[in-house]
Amino acid sequence: MSSNHNFESANDIEKGHGVSLSIDTSMSVGSPIQHASNDPLSPTFGATLSPAVSPLALPTGAIPELPMQNISSLNLGNANGAATPSMHALTSSAAIPPMSLDSSPATAVPAATPSSDLPAPPKPALIHNEYSTAATLPVLPLSKTVSEEKLKLEEKKEQSFPAVEKNAGDVQHIEVQKPAAPAPAPIVVTKWVKFQLWYNTYRKFFTVVVTFNFISIVLTCLGRFPYAQKNVGGFILGNLCTAVLMRNELFGRLLYLIANTLLAKACQNLVSTLFLPANSPYFSGLHCCALSGTAWLIYHVVWLCAHASVQHRAVIATGIVTNLAIIISVLSAFPWVRNNRHNLFERHHRFVGWTGLIFTWIFVMLGNGYDEENGVWDWQGRQIVKTQDIYFVICMTILIALPWIFTRKVKVDVEIPSPKVAILRFERGMQQGLLGRISRTSILEYHAFGTISEGKHAKYHYMVCGVQGDFTRGLVENPPTHIWTREIKFAGISNTSPLYRRGIRIATGTGIGAALSTCLQSKGWFLIWIGSDQEKTFGKTISGLIESGIEPERRILWDSKKLKRPNTMKLLKETYDAWGAEVVFITSNYGGNKEMMEGCKTLGIPAFGTLWDF
């Protein structure tokens, strides 16, 4: 963020001049001759001064001798008229005429008749090298007298350069010393730091879950795990139910509620408060239980086929169909498919998954209703209610249906500040740290965006939708008046901000949608927003929320279009130290998130960023 320095323009004196002076002419033309002073410290000691002569009365290029002119203020500008950083005002005597060696008074210079045909005084050359340590500016007398108040300089707020005055004959020189800023030392990210960030809690959960289930399947195949062989349905559905639970909005909100309520009040140790917030978003790593459940299902279907002589064909057939549906649903959720073929992922994961749920019900009912020993069907249901399979299926069905029960079509107002962004406004306020899903249809193409709100009792909440695909492009080209959304919003990492006294929320571009609410609703959080021409790109609504809700001392808005790309880690480190922050939350694209997470890990700054692996 750069500070804007306002300076008085030199055009009021002589348009194009690089130097402007305020001159107090205490002697006018025709004043009597002043005799020498007896005071050795006086400028007129040992000599007499001539009457003041107007610069316009001299030939072009001549430099008059001015008596006791007081320089009260100085304004420097570059060749284009732009102001340079301010300096403290200097007050000094003008050039003193050389003293006479004899006692006779000096002869006064006769005043010339002013002429309007004379050309303008020559413009002083501004000699300045941006990379040199000094710049010499000649101070020449001007053709006009300017008010001292009009040229009074403002004190520089952020940086001032020391000025050294030098007298050389009749011309003063101001030497501006500009210290060279030392280049920040590059942050060296070790392979160990990169591995720690890659092998995060999400992958740790994946490792533990898959390893345990893989070993269990191997032991069951070898006949060393009889419990699993007898209750294989429980292992299948238990894993699948856990996978669905980890992605349920209500469960996620409950998890964050426990963290924010219990840890914020009961735990004063910062190290302890870092554990659950750091891992709560990664609990979705347990979603990999779906992969383990699929492995158990494959094992079970293979076992049924191997014992087809005692199994009913209907049980084997429904088992195969269920297996295929679950496998397709799991494969469509792999990261590469999700990131590159979102619509393909959504259709297969959702609709094929629902098909798998239906066939799971059939498979459970048939499998537990058929008596293998006697080869008959038991339709009374006594065997079904005795197994744990049916309860896992019921739980899984409820968890899948709940979000859709709270799906509504609501009114929305769309603001298009630029072709790159659409700002959606909804009724009612929200707590900070929540994200919502929206779609133009009731069951297809749901996309998640961060919500911006000034609080629970606010009138509106907003979503910032950057144009990145067909869905968001449609919001700009064909803004809707109503849109489908899930009334139950799911929590993000920002929802744990109450656990910290002071923190930094850094976002780039449209990431402001997930970051802004935290700083609006908590005075202990500092906002750093890096973007290109933010007000023009994102409109006055977002800019207005920032201006009214976040004090200037709690925000840095970095315009990368004007200031170029910042040294993000230098900016983040300096702000972290100055603000006295305890944690940093990051919302950025993949490259920006990776850079900042690696830098913070290297510097020992607790930081939590966007998850790209779920």
Side-chain angles (χ1 to χ4, degrees), residues 465-521:
C465 306
V467 175
Q468 294 181 346
D470 295 338
F471 176 78
T472 49
R473 187 179 298 108
L475 295 176
V476 173
E477 296 175 352
N478 183 24
T481 57
H482 292 76
I483 203 164
W484 288 88
T485 184
R486 295 182 183 178
E487 293 294 304
I488 300 179
K489 312 302 180 184
F490 65 98
I493 185 62
S494 293
N495 199 250
T496 61
S497 60
L499 294 177
Y500 309 98
R501 293 184 294 272
R502 297 173 78 84
I504 295 176
R505 196 65 173 87
I506 183 169
T508 62
T510 55
I512 190 66
L516 185 53
S517 282
T518 301
C519 300
L520 288 175
Q521 299 184 29

Short mmCIF file of all heavy atoms in Angstrom, two decimals, residues 465-521:
data_model
loop_
_atom_site.label_atom_id
_atom_site.label_comp_id
_atom_site.label_asym_id
_atom_site.label_seq_id
_atom_site.Cartn_x
_atom_site.Cartn_y
_atom_site.Cartn_z
N CYS A 465 -17.97 -13.56 -7.18
CA CYS A 465 -17.83 -14.65 -8.15
C CYS A 465 -16.94 -14.19 -9.31
O CYS A 465 -17.36 -13.37 -10.14
CB CYS A 465 -19.19 -15.08 -8.68
SG CYS A 465 -20.38 -15.52 -7.39
N GLY A 466 -15.73 -14.67 -9.35
CA GLY A 466 -14.82 -14.35 -10.44
C GLY A 466 -15.08 -15.22 -11.65
O GLY A 466 -15.41 -16.41 -11.52
N VAL A 467 -14.96 -14.65 -12.83
CA VAL A 467 -15.23 -15.38 -14.07
C VAL A 467 -14.08 -16.36 -14.33
O VAL A 467 -12.96 -15.94 -14.63
CB VAL A 467 -15.40 -14.42 -15.25
CG1 VAL A 467 -15.57 -15.19 -16.55
CG2 VAL A 467 -16.59 -13.50 -15.01
N GLN A 468 -14.38 -17.65 -14.22
CA GLN A 468 -13.38 -18.69 -14.45
C GLN A 468 -13.89 -19.83 -15.30
O GLN A 468 -13.12 -20.63 -15.80
CB GLN A 468 -12.88 -19.25 -13.11
CG GLN A 468 -12.13 -18.22 -12.27
CD GLN A 468 -11.62 -18.81 -10.97
OE1 GLN A 468 -12.03 -19.89 -10.55
NE2 GLN A 468 -10.73 -18.11 -10.30
N GLY A 469 -15.19 -19.96 -15.44
CA GLY A 469 -15.76 -21.05 -16.21
C GLY A 469 -17.12 -20.66 -16.77
O GLY A 469 -17.53 -19.50 -16.73
N ASP A 470 -17.83 -21.66 -17.29
CA ASP A 470 -19.13 -21.40 -17.92
C ASP A 470 -20.14 -20.85 -16.92
O ASP A 470 -20.92 -19.96 -17.24
CB ASP A 470 -19.66 -22.68 -18.56
CG ASP A 470 -18.78 -23.16 -19.70
OD1 ASP A 470 -18.05 -22.32 -20.25
OD2 ASP A 470 -18.83 -24.36 -20.04
N PHE A 471 -20.14 -21.40 -15.71
CA PHE A 471 -21.14 -20.99 -14.72
C PHE A 471 -20.96 -19.52 -14.32
O PHE A 471 -21.90 -18.73 -14.36
CB PHE A 471 -21.06 -21.89 -13.49
CG PHE A 471 -21.99 -21.47 -12.38
CD1 PHE A 471 -23.33 -21.78 -12.45
CD2 PHE A 471 -21.51 -20.78 -11.28
CE1 PHE A 471 -24.20 -21.39 -11.43
CE2 PHE A 471 -22.36 -20.39 -10.26
CZ PHE A 471 -23.71 -20.69 -10.34
N THR A 472 -19.74 -19.16 -13.94
CA THR A 472 -19.50 -17.78 -13.50
C THR A 472 -19.57 -16.80 -14.67
O THR A 472 -19.98 -15.65 -14.49
CB THR A 472 -18.12 -17.68 -12.82
OG1 THR A 472 -17.13 -18.30 -13.66
CG2 THR A 472 -18.13 -18.40 -11.49
N ARG A 473 -19.20 -17.25 -15.86
CA ARG A 473 -19.33 -16.37 -17.02
C ARG A 473 -20.81 -16.07 -17.29
O ARG A 473 -21.18 -14.97 -17.70
CB ARG A 473 -18.68 -17.01 -18.24
CG ARG A 473 -18.63 -16.08 -19.46
CD ARG A 473 -17.95 -16.72 -20.65
NE ARG A 473 -16.56 -17.04 -20.35
CZ ARG A 473 -16.10 -18.28 -20.15
NH1 ARG A 473 -16.94 -19.32 -20.25
NH2 ARG A 473 -14.84 -18.49 -19.87
N GLY A 474 -21.65 -17.07 -17.07
CA GLY A 474 -23.09 -16.86 -17.24
C GLY A 474 -23.67 -15.87 -16.26
O GLY A 474 -24.65 -15.18 -16.57
N LEU A 475 -23.09 -15.78 -15.06
CA LEU A 475 -23.57 -14.80 -14.09
C LEU A 475 -23.33 -13.38 -14.57
O LEU A 475 -24.10 -12.47 -14.26
CB LEU A 475 -22.86 -15.02 -12.74
CG LEU A 475 -23.14 -16.34 -12.01
CD1 LEU A 475 -22.30 -16.43 -10.75
CD2 LEU A 475 -24.62 -16.46 -11.67
N VAL A 476 -22.25 -13.17 -15.33
CA VAL A 476 -21.93 -11.85 -15.85
C VAL A 476 -22.73 -11.55 -17.12
O VAL A 476 -23.30 -10.46 -17.27
CB VAL A 476 -20.42 -11.73 -16.12
CG1 VAL A 476 -20.09 -10.42 -16.82
CG2 VAL A 476 -19.63 -11.87 -14.83
N GLU A 477 -22.78 -12.50 -18.03
CA GLU A 477 -23.44 -12.27 -19.31
C GLU A 477 -24.96 -12.32 -19.20
O GLU A 477 -25.66 -11.63 -19.95
CB GLU A 477 -22.95 -13.31 -20.32
CG GLU A 477 -21.45 -13.20 -20.63
CD GLU A 477 -20.97 -14.30 -21.54
OE1 GLU A 477 -21.78 -15.25 -21.81
OE2 GLU A 477 -19.81 -14.25 -21.98
N ASN A 478 -25.48 -13.14 -18.30
CA ASN A 478 -26.92 -13.28 -18.13
C ASN A 478 -27.25 -13.33 -16.63
O ASN A 478 -27.51 -14.40 -16.08
CB ASN A 478 -27.42 -14.54 -18.84
CG ASN A 478 -28.93 -14.69 -18.76
OD1 ASN A 478 -29.66 -13.72 -18.59
ND2 ASN A 478 -29.41 -15.93 -18.88
N PRO A 479 -27.24 -12.21 -15.95
CA PRO A 479 -27.44 -12.20 -14.49
C PRO A 479 -28.82 -12.73 -14.12
O PRO A 479 -29.83 -12.33 -14.70
CB PRO A 479 -27.30 -10.71 -14.12
CG PRO A 479 -26.58 -10.09 -15.28
CD PRO A 479 -26.99 -10.87 -16.49
N PRO A 480 -28.88 -13.62 -13.15
CA PRO A 480 -30.17 -14.17 -12.72
C PRO A 480 -30.87 -13.26 -11.72
O PRO A 480 -30.23 -12.43 -11.06
CB PRO A 480 -29.78 -15.50 -12.07
CG PRO A 480 -28.41 -15.23 -11.51
CD PRO A 480 -27.74 -14.28 -12.47
N THR A 481 -32.17 -13.40 -11.60
CA THR A 481 -32.94 -12.70 -10.57
C THR A 481 -33.21 -13.61 -9.38
O THR A 481 -33.45 -13.12 -8.27
CB THR A 481 -34.27 -12.20 -11.14
OG1 THR A 481 -35.00 -13.32 -11.66
CG2 THR A 481 -34.02 -11.20 -12.26
N HIS A 482 -33.19 -14.92 -9.61
CA HIS A 482 -33.34 -15.91 -8.54
C HIS A 482 -32.31 -17.02 -8.76
O HIS A 482 -31.91 -17.30 -9.91
CB HIS A 482 -34.75 -16.52 -8.53
CG HIS A 482 -35.81 -15.54 -8.12
ND1 HIS A 482 -36.28 -14.56 -8.97
CD2 HIS A 482 -36.49 -15.39 -6.94
CE1 HIS A 482 -37.21 -13.85 -8.34
NE2 HIS A 482 -37.35 -14.33 -7.12
N ILE A 483 -31.90 -17.64 -7.69
CA ILE A 483 -30.88 -18.66 -7.79
C ILE A 483 -31.09 -19.70 -6.70
O ILE A 483 -31.64 -19.40 -5.63
CB ILE A 483 -29.46 -18.03 -7.69
CG1 ILE A 483 -28.42 -18.93 -8.35
CG2 ILE A 483 -29.11 -17.71 -6.24
CD1 ILE A 483 -27.11 -18.22 -8.63
N TRP A 484 -30.68 -20.93 -6.96
CA TRP A 484 -30.80 -22.01 -5.99
C TRP A 484 -29.59 -22.00 -5.06
O TRP A 484 -28.46 -21.80 -5.50
CB TRP A 484 -30.89 -23.36 -6.68
CG TRP A 484 -32.20 -23.60 -7.39
CD1 TRP A 484 -32.52 -23.26 -8.67
CD2 TRP A 484 -33.36 -24.21 -6.83
NE1 TRP A 484 -33.81 -23.63 -8.96
CE2 TRP A 484 -34.35 -24.23 -7.84
CE3 TRP A 484 -33.68 -24.77 -5.59
CZ2 TRP A 484 -35.62 -24.75 -7.64
CZ3 TRP A 484 -34.93 -25.30 -5.39
CH2 TRP A 484 -35.90 -25.28 -6.41
N THR A 485 -29.85 -22.19 -3.79
CA THR A 485 -28.77 -22.23 -2.80
C THR A 485 -29.15 -23.16 -1.66
O THR A 485 -30.34 -23.44 -1.43
CB THR A 485 -28.48 -20.83 -2.25
OG1 THR A 485 -27.37 -20.90 -1.36
CG2 THR A 485 -29.68 -20.27 -1.51
N ARG A 486 -28.13 -23.64 -0.96
CA ARG A 486 -28.36 -24.44 0.23
C ARG A 486 -28.35 -23.52 1.44
O ARG A 486 -27.37 -22.82 1.68
CB ARG A 486 -27.30 -25.53 0.36
CG ARG A 486 -27.35 -26.54 -0.77
CD ARG A 486 -26.32 -27.63 -0.58
NE ARG A 486 -26.33 -28.57 -1.70
CZ ARG A 486 -25.51 -29.60 -1.83
NH1 ARG A 486 -24.57 -29.81 -0.90
NH2 ARG A 486 -25.58 -30.41 -2.86
N GLU A 487 -29.43 -23.52 2.18
CA GLU A 487 -29.56 -22.62 3.32
C GLU A 487 -28.53 -22.92 4.40
O GLU A 487 -28.15 -22.02 5.15
CB GLU A 487 -30.97 -22.73 3.90
CG GLU A 487 -32.05 -22.20 2.98
CD GLU A 487 -31.93 -20.70 2.76
OE1 GLU A 487 -31.93 -19.94 3.73
OE2 GLU A 487 -31.80 -20.30 1.58
N ILE A 488 -28.10 -24.15 4.51
CA ILE A 488 -27.06 -24.50 5.49
C ILE A 488 -25.71 -24.25 4.84
O ILE A 488 -25.31 -24.94 3.91
CB ILE A 488 -27.18 -25.98 5.93
CG1 ILE A 488 -28.52 -26.23 6.58
CG2 ILE A 488 -26.05 -26.34 6.89
CD1 ILE A 488 -28.72 -27.67 7.03
N LYS A 489 -25.01 -23.24 5.33
CA LYS A 489 -23.67 -22.92 4.81
C LYS A 489 -22.64 -23.78 5.54
O LYS A 489 -22.84 -24.16 6.69
CB LYS A 489 -23.35 -21.44 5.02
CG LYS A 489 -24.46 -20.50 4.58
CD LYS A 489 -24.83 -20.67 3.12
CE LYS A 489 -25.93 -19.70 2.72
NZ LYS A 489 -26.40 -19.90 1.34
N PHE A 490 -21.55 -24.06 4.86
CA PHE A 490 -20.51 -24.87 5.50
C PHE A 490 -19.35 -23.98 5.93
O PHE A 490 -19.11 -22.91 5.36
CB PHE A 490 -20.05 -26.02 4.60
CG PHE A 490 -19.37 -25.60 3.34
CD1 PHE A 490 -17.98 -25.58 3.24
CD2 PHE A 490 -20.11 -25.25 2.22
CE1 PHE A 490 -17.36 -25.20 2.07
CE2 PHE A 490 -19.49 -24.88 1.04
CZ PHE A 490 -18.11 -24.85 0.97
N ALA A 491 -18.64 -24.42 6.95
CA ALA A 491 -17.61 -23.60 7.59
C ALA A 491 -16.27 -23.80 6.91
O ALA A 491 -15.93 -24.89 6.45
CB ALA A 491 -17.50 -23.93 9.07
N GLY A 492 -15.48 -22.71 6.86
CA GLY A 492 -14.11 -22.76 6.38
C GLY A 492 -13.14 -22.47 7.51
O GLY A 492 -13.54 -22.27 8.67
N ILE A 493 -11.86 -22.41 7.19
CA ILE A 493 -10.85 -22.22 8.22
C ILE A 493 -11.01 -20.89 8.94
O ILE A 493 -10.69 -20.76 10.12
CB ILE A 493 -9.43 -22.33 7.59
CG1 ILE A 493 -8.35 -22.26 8.67
CG2 ILE A 493 -9.24 -21.26 6.53
CD1 ILE A 493 -8.40 -23.35 9.67
N SER A 494 -11.55 -19.86 8.26
CA SER A 494 -11.74 -18.56 8.91
C SER A 494 -12.72 -18.62 10.07
O SER A 494 -12.72 -17.73 10.91
CB SER A 494 -12.23 -17.53 7.89
OG SER A 494 -11.24 -17.26 6.92
N ASN A 495 -13.53 -19.66 10.10
CA ASN A 495 -14.51 -19.78 11.17
C ASN A 495 -13.84 -19.98 12.53
O ASN A 495 -14.47 -19.79 13.57
CB ASN A 495 -15.46 -20.94 10.87
CG ASN A 495 -16.74 -20.87 11.67
OD1 ASN A 495 -16.97 -21.68 12.56
ND2 ASN A 495 -17.58 -19.90 11.35
N THR A 496 -12.56 -20.35 12.54
CA THR A 496 -11.85 -20.54 13.81
C THR A 496 -11.14 -19.27 14.27
O THR A 496 -10.37 -19.31 15.24
CB THR A 496 -10.80 -21.66 13.68
OG1 THR A 496 -9.84 -21.29 12.67
CG2 THR A 496 -11.44 -22.97 13.30
N SER A 497 -11.38 -18.13 13.61
CA SER A 497 -10.70 -16.89 13.99
C SER A 497 -10.96 -16.47 15.44
O SER A 497 -10.10 -15.81 16.03
CB SER A 497 -11.10 -15.77 13.03
OG SER A 497 -12.49 -15.53 13.07
N PRO A 498 -12.10 -16.80 16.07
CA PRO A 498 -12.28 -16.41 17.47
C PRO A 498 -11.27 -17.04 18.42
O PRO A 498 -11.14 -16.60 19.56
CB PRO A 498 -13.71 -16.89 17.80
CG PRO A 498 -14.41 -16.90 16.49
CD PRO A 498 -13.37 -17.32 15.50
N LEU A 499 -10.54 -18.05 17.98
CA LEU A 499 -9.55 -18.69 18.84
C LEU A 499 -8.30 -17.82 19.03
O LEU A 499 -7.49 -18.10 19.91
CB LEU A 499 -9.13 -20.04 18.25
CG LEU A 499 -10.20 -21.12 18.18
CD1 LEU A 499 -9.65 -22.35 17.50
CD2 LEU A 499 -10.71 -21.47 19.55
N TYR A 500 -8.15 -16.78 18.22
CA TYR A 500 -6.93 -15.98 18.25
C TYR A 500 -7.26 -14.53 18.60
O TYR A 500 -8.28 -13.99 18.19
CB TYR A 500 -6.23 -16.04 16.90
CG TYR A 500 -6.02 -17.44 16.39
CD1 TYR A 500 -6.91 -18.00 15.47
CD2 TYR A 500 -4.97 -18.22 16.84
CE1 TYR A 500 -6.74 -19.30 15.02
CE2 TYR A 500 -4.78 -19.51 16.39
CZ TYR A 500 -5.67 -20.04 15.48
OH TYR A 500 -5.51 -21.32 15.04
N ARG A 501 -6.37 -13.91 19.35
CA ARG A 501 -6.55 -12.51 19.72
C ARG A 501 -6.26 -11.59 18.54
O ARG A 501 -6.97 -10.61 18.33
CB ARG A 501 -5.65 -12.16 20.91
CG ARG A 501 -6.03 -12.87 22.20
CD ARG A 501 -5.16 -12.40 23.35
NE ARG A 501 -3.76 -12.80 23.14
CZ ARG A 501 -3.25 -13.95 23.52
NH1 ARG A 501 -4.02 -14.85 24.12
NH2 ARG A 501 -1.98 -14.24 23.31
N ARG A 502 -5.19 -11.88 17.81
CA ARG A 502 -4.81 -11.04 16.67
C ARG A 502 -4.32 -11.94 15.54
O ARG A 502 -3.57 -12.90 15.79
CB ARG A 502 -3.72 -10.04 17.05
CG ARG A 502 -4.14 -9.04 18.11
CD ARG A 502 -2.98 -8.19 18.58
NE ARG A 502 -2.64 -7.14 17.64
CZ ARG A 502 -3.25 -5.95 17.58
NH1 ARG A 502 -4.24 -5.69 18.42
NH2 ARG A 502 -2.88 -5.04 16.71
N GLY A 503 -4.73 -11.63 14.33
CA GLY A 503 -4.32 -12.44 13.19
C GLY A 503 -4.30 -11.62 11.92
O GLY A 503 -4.74 -10.47 11.88
N ILE A 504 -3.77 -12.22 10.87
CA ILE A 504 -3.69 -11.58 9.55
C ILE A 504 -4.47 -12.42 8.56
O ILE A 504 -4.28 -13.64 8.49
CB ILE A 504 -2.23 -11.42 9.09
CG1 ILE A 504 -1.49 -10.46 10.02
CG2 ILE A 504 -2.17 -10.92 7.66
CD1 ILE A 504 -0.03 -10.32 9.70
N ARG A 505 -5.33 -11.77 7.80
CA ARG A 505 -6.11 -12.44 6.75
C ARG A 505 -5.62 -11.89 5.42
O ARG A 505 -5.89 -10.74 5.07
CB ARG A 505 -7.59 -12.16 6.94
CG ARG A 505 -8.50 -13.11 6.15
CD ARG A 505 -8.35 -14.51 6.65
NE ARG A 505 -9.30 -15.43 6.05
CZ ARG A 505 -9.10 -16.08 4.91
NH1 ARG A 505 -7.99 -15.88 4.22
NH2 ARG A 505 -10.00 -16.92 4.46
N ILE A 506 -4.87 -12.68 4.66
CA ILE A 506 -4.33 -12.24 3.38
C ILE A 506 -5.07 -12.95 2.25
O ILE A 506 -5.32 -14.16 2.32
CB ILE A 506 -2.81 -12.49 3.30
CG1 ILE A 506 -2.24 -11.96 1.98
CG2 ILE A 506 -2.46 -13.95 3.51
CD1 ILE A 506 -0.72 -11.94 1.93
N ALA A 507 -5.43 -12.20 1.23
CA ALA A 507 -6.18 -12.76 0.11
C ALA A 507 -5.70 -12.10 -1.18
O ALA A 507 -5.22 -10.96 -1.17
CB ALA A 507 -7.68 -12.53 0.28
N THR A 508 -5.83 -12.82 -2.26
CA THR A 508 -5.52 -12.28 -3.59
C THR A 508 -6.74 -12.39 -4.47
O THR A 508 -7.44 -13.41 -4.44
CB THR A 508 -4.34 -13.03 -4.24
OG1 THR A 508 -4.70 -14.41 -4.41
CG2 THR A 508 -3.10 -12.96 -3.37
N GLY A 509 -7.00 -11.35 -5.25
CA GLY A 509 -8.10 -11.38 -6.21
C GLY A 509 -9.45 -11.65 -5.57
O GLY A 509 -9.84 -11.05 -4.57
N THR A 510 -10.18 -12.61 -6.15
CA THR A 510 -11.52 -12.94 -5.66
C THR A 510 -11.49 -13.66 -4.32
O THR A 510 -12.56 -13.90 -3.73
CB THR A 510 -12.25 -13.82 -6.68
OG1 THR A 510 -11.45 -14.98 -6.97
CG2 THR A 510 -12.50 -13.07 -7.98
N GLY A 511 -10.31 -13.98 -3.80
CA GLY A 511 -10.22 -14.57 -2.47
C GLY A 511 -10.73 -13.65 -1.38
O GLY A 511 -10.95 -14.09 -0.25
N ILE A 512 -10.97 -12.36 -1.73
CA ILE A 512 -11.52 -11.43 -0.75
C ILE A 512 -12.89 -11.89 -0.27
O ILE A 512 -13.31 -11.56 0.84
CB ILE A 512 -11.60 -10.01 -1.38
CG1 ILE A 512 -11.94 -8.97 -0.31
CG2 ILE A 512 -12.61 -9.98 -2.52
CD1 ILE A 512 -10.89 -8.79 0.72
N GLY A 513 -13.59 -12.67 -1.10
CA GLY A 513 -14.91 -13.16 -0.72
C GLY A 513 -14.89 -14.05 0.50
O GLY A 513 -15.84 -14.07 1.29
N ALA A 514 -13.82 -14.81 0.68
CA ALA A 514 -13.71 -15.70 1.84
C ALA A 514 -13.01 -15.05 3.01
O ALA A 514 -13.03 -15.58 4.12
CB ALA A 514 -12.97 -16.98 1.44
N ALA A 515 -12.37 -13.89 2.78
CA ALA A 515 -11.52 -13.29 3.82
C ALA A 515 -12.13 -12.07 4.48
O ALA A 515 -11.84 -11.79 5.64
CB ALA A 515 -10.17 -12.90 3.20
N LEU A 516 -12.96 -11.33 3.77
CA LEU A 516 -13.37 -10.02 4.24
C LEU A 516 -14.21 -10.07 5.52
O LEU A 516 -14.06 -9.22 6.40
CB LEU A 516 -14.13 -9.29 3.13
CG LEU A 516 -14.54 -7.85 3.41
CD1 LEU A 516 -13.35 -7.02 3.84
CD2 LEU A 516 -15.21 -7.24 2.18
N SER A 517 -15.12 -11.04 5.63
CA SER A 517 -16.00 -11.09 6.80
C SER A 517 -15.23 -11.18 8.11
O SER A 517 -15.63 -10.59 9.11
CB SER A 517 -16.95 -12.29 6.68
OG SER A 517 -18.00 -12.01 5.80
N THR A 518 -14.11 -11.91 8.11
CA THR A 518 -13.33 -12.06 9.33
C THR A 518 -12.85 -10.71 9.83
O THR A 518 -12.93 -10.41 11.04
CB THR A 518 -12.13 -12.99 9.08
OG1 THR A 518 -12.61 -14.26 8.65
CG2 THR A 518 -11.31 -13.17 10.35
N CYS A 519 -12.37 -9.85 8.93
CA CYS A 519 -11.86 -8.55 9.33
C CYS A 519 -12.99 -7.56 9.61
O CYS A 519 -12.82 -6.63 10.41
CB CYS A 519 -10.94 -8.00 8.25
SG CYS A 519 -9.50 -9.05 7.92
N LEU A 520 -14.14 -7.74 8.98
CA LEU A 520 -15.28 -6.87 9.26
C LEU A 520 -15.86 -7.13 10.64
O LEU A 520 -16.31 -6.21 11.32
CB LEU A 520 -16.37 -7.06 8.20
CG LEU A 520 -16.10 -6.53 6.80
CD1 LEU A 520 -17.23 -6.92 5.85
CD2 LEU A 520 -15.92 -5.02 6.81
N GLN A 521 -15.86 -8.38 11.07
CA GLN A 521 -16.52 -8.75 12.31
C GLN A 521 -15.57 -8.88 13.50
O GLN A 521 -16.03 -9.11 14.62
CB GLN A 521 -17.28 -10.07 12.11
CG GLN A 521 -18.35 -10.00 11.05
CD GLN A 521 -19.16 -11.29 10.93
OE1 GLN A 521 -19.32 -12.03 11.89
NE2 GLN A 521 -19.68 -11.55 9.74
#
